Amino acid sequence: MGSSSERHPPGFDPSQPGIRLLQQWIRRQMAIQVDLAGGGQLSGCPVWVDADFLAVQVDGVGEPVLVNRRAIALIQSQT
């Protein structure tokens, strides 16, 4: 049986507290605010996360918005 890192893409380790918290917010469909490294902001509900992207469902937008995880400066719940 391999380690957790062998079963997941590089950069995605679900044993890390940040990933576990994001997964919890996804399950609870909590509203979040994402501050981008370039200065922008995005608010909505997280849909999924992988090694490279966070998908956020923004009100009024049909498909989730994909945010490159390297472009994220801060993620916080809005509750």
Side-chain angles (χ1 to χ4, degrees):
M1 188 146 200
S3 71
S4 175
S5 63
E6 291 174 359
R7 293 187 301 262
H8 300 284
F12 186 82
D13 182 357
S15 70
Q16 294 294 311
I19 296 294
R20 288 196 319 264
L21 183 57
L22 269 174
Q23 289 173 328
Q24 184 179 64
W25 290 345
I26 291 167
R27 283 190 298 274
R28 293 180 179 175
Q29 297 181 347
M30 293 181 72
I32 62 168
Q33 177 178 311
V34 179
D35 293 349
L36 303 174
Q41 288 184 338
L42 184 67
S43 295
C45 289
V47 180
W48 54 260
V49 62
D50 67 15
D52 297 313
F53 292 95
L54 170 63
V56 179
Q57 186 64 56
V58 177
D59 287 340
V61 178
E63 293 290 321
V65 175
L66 298 181
V67 181
N68 189 301
R69 288 179 46 197
R70 287 183 237 149
I72 297 172
L74 174 73
I75 306 172
Q76 58 187 1
S77 71
Q78 292 186 319
T79 57

